[in-house]
Amino acid sequence: MAKRKPGVFNKAWTVLWRVLIAFALILLVFRFVPPPTTAFMLQSDYPVTQHWISIDKLPPQVPLAVIGSEDQRFPDHFGVDFTAITKALSQYDDGEGLRGASTITQQTAKNLFLWPGRSFIRKGLEAGLAISLEAIWGKKRILEVYLNVAEFGKGIYGVEAASQHYFGKSARHLTANQAARLAVLLPSPRKRDPNRLTPNLRQRVDWIERQMQQLGAGYLNPILDN
């Protein structure tokens, strides 16, 4: 009797679970080893500069500035902020365009594995990857990787490279104001300079510093002390 050939579904399922296992192993490795590059770095139109720095060597105001600016609910969500997503979808339905609504976890996933631009497909992949990062890495590692792979200028990736480029010193020595000035670059890093801020961006820096004060110096201690 001739053997039945496996169906298309079975083949697809076999490929899928193998890919998922391989991806999980990659994430597990990156849980302990700095990623050698990212999808965004590989797609960069400019020469890439990056210097990895452990989050334990950064002053607390550096991660706090990014949290205050980008994702104040970071300690509480599991990678996806459904409140922000609901608001973004509502605005999209009202004709205002598709806004980001990305958490720091989603931004980390996007920088590592995806591509620029906005679409529902990319947002869906971003959300799935974010949940995987939360499950395998945890908050501290996600924040550490984000601070090291986020773009802060044309080809400038990570707070250490950004601090050296803009302020001529290691990120270990950033003040609260300088950390806020770096954080204000993140939405449009290729169009902004922390040493040449517009009046609106200076107001945004003031707002970030107020958020940092309201959150408090110990806001991230439960994450950073792990």
Side-chain angles (χ1 to χ4, degrees):
M1 181 180 294
K3 294 182 179 179
R4 295 180 60 186
K5 294 182 179 181
V8 174
F9 178 82
N10 289 338
K11 289 181 179 179
W13 173 248
T14 300
V15 171
L16 177 61
W17 70 257
R18 287 179 178 175
V19 169
L20 292 176
I21 290 175
F23 182 72
L25 290 174
I26 291 172
L27 289 186
L28 187 60
V29 171
F30 288 166
R31 170 68 177 83
F32 304 100
V33 178
T37 187
T38 70
F40 270 44
M41 291 182 198
L42 292 173
Q43 298 170 74
S44 175
D45 296 326
Y46 306 94
V48 171
T49 302
Q50 185 207 30
H51 306 291
W52 185 274
I53 186 170
S54 168
I55 197 170
D56 294 325
K57 296 181 180 179
L58 291 172
Q61 59 261 29
V62 174
L64 187 62
V66 173
I67 293 295
S69 175
E70 297 285 293
D71 184 6
Q72 294 187 17
R73 287 194 285 265
F74 178 73
D76 302 317
H77 62 63
F78 197 70
V80 178
D81 188 337
F82 291 101
T83 300
I85 290 175
T86 300
K87 182 178 179 181
L89 290 175
S90 176
Q91 292 172 335
Y92 179 75
D93 289 339
D94 291 338
E96 296 184 28
L98 185 61
R99 299 180 182 273
S102 292
T103 65
I104 281 178
T105 311
Q106 288 174 266
Q107 293 179 51
T108 304
K110 176 186 69 177
N111 276 272
L112 282 173
F113 301 112
L114 300 175
W115 61 90
R118 292 176 179 174
S119 69
F120 285 113
I121 293 176
R122 202 212 66 187
K123 294 298 291 185
L125 291 172
E126 189 179 284
L129 289 169
I131 294 171
S132 299
L133 292 183
E134 292 277 349
I136 296 175
W137 286 6
K139 295 290 185 181
K140 182 176 181 179
R141 181 59 173 176
I142 291 168
L143 188 55
E144 179 175 50
V145 172
Y146 180 71
L147 289 169
N148 278 283
V149 304
E151 187 177 14
F152 287 89
K154 295 177 179 178
I156 302 168
Y157 291 86
V159 291
E160 180 65 14
S163 181
Q164 293 183 20
H165 177 81
Y166 294 116
F167 303 124
K169 62 182 179 180
S170 171
R172 303 178 189 188
H173 308 299
L174 287 172
T175 65
N177 176 261
Q178 289 169 333
R181 283 156 64 190
L182 288 183
V184 83
L185 304 180
L186 291 171
S188 301
R190 298 183 182 182
K191 299 178 181 179
R192 300 177 180 181
D193 184 324
N195 296 316
R196 299 176 182 176
L197 296 175
T198 64
N200 285 340
L201 288 178
R202 284 197 292 271
Q203 292 179 2
R204 175 70 179 179
V205 169
D206 292 340
W207 180 85
I208 292 172
E209 290 191 273
R210 289 196 300 272
Q211 300 309 301
M212 294 165 67
Q213 293 172 358
Q214 291 175 10
L215 293 173
Y219 183 66
L220 295 176
N221 284 353
I223 292 174
L224 300 180
D225 291 344
N226 288 337

